Amino acid sequence: MPISFAFDGDDVMWTQQFVSPAVYLDTFAIRAISESDELSMRFAQGIRGRNGTWLLAALSMGEFARFADPRHVDRAEWLLAQVVPYIYLCLSEPVAARAATGETTTAARPLPPADHRNMDFFSRRWAQAQSFQETFRGMFQIVHENRDKMVETLDEVASTLVASLGIYRQREPYRRKAKAARLDDGRTRQQIISGELLRELILDTNAPITNNEALDLMHAVDAVDCCDLVLLDKAWERRAKALHKRIAETNTDMPIAQCFSMRNGGIEEFLAALERWPVSSPLPTHLA
């Protein structure tokens, strides 16, 4: 079971497992799936029936602060209740902080950074409720109740990343290096993935980089790096598929997520891929 709690004297110990099929939904994908009872049940059954994992990043929940209508929060809460405890709480970190460290062997997928602060919080709630549904009830509601502060924080993070990218891509040596970069040049997986996903935005200095683009990048890097199936914005789906193509062309041993978007029936394709995942196959497991 991906999340477990256990008493150790007066303390509560928590464990998260990251088990395939590991999936990721960006904020608008959570909203799109949660607003449909049919899609919600297929998503929940697909994960629970295969003992998989929903990688749920603090960023995904945090962006619900932008939705003023509380019905979106209610639907997300209902979806979450169908899936817990088959979730993995992940801390979304600035791309540069993650990219500079990590595995340089491209074949080895990393473990997502665990959200220790929230897991400690929910372990205390579990000690009182000893029910997964009650323990995680209100995760999205907490964001909604603090949405002004949350939006301010998101904008600060995004603006910092946009400014940094804007400075670097104006440097001709940086663009030249990005254009010539190889997949076997000793960079970490995160550096390769973030560099490839950003490739077109770095090389085209006139392409706008918005706050939304910056946050989408944060969604995409960990999802593509760690998961099996991901549902992202169409621009990031295209960029992830370009990376898949480059990996194939260079015959590099570098497993990354299969990416879908909400365009052209992408949600149906994503759910079908999840439902095709073999139940009885050996499942790789990592602990946090």
Side-chain angles (χ1 to χ4, degrees), residues 16-29:
Q16 290 195 114
Q17 299 180 20
F18 193 65
V19 186
S20 292
V23 305
Y24 186 88
L25 308 176
D26 74 4
T27 304
F28 282 91

Side-chain angles (χ1 to χ4, degrees), residues 70 73-74 77 137-147:
V73 172
D74 293 341
E77 289 282 354
R137 187 187 303 277
M139 283 177 63
F140 288 92
Q141 185 62 40
I142 292 171
V143 172
H144 186 71
E145 292 171 355
N146 297 277
R147 57 188 179 276

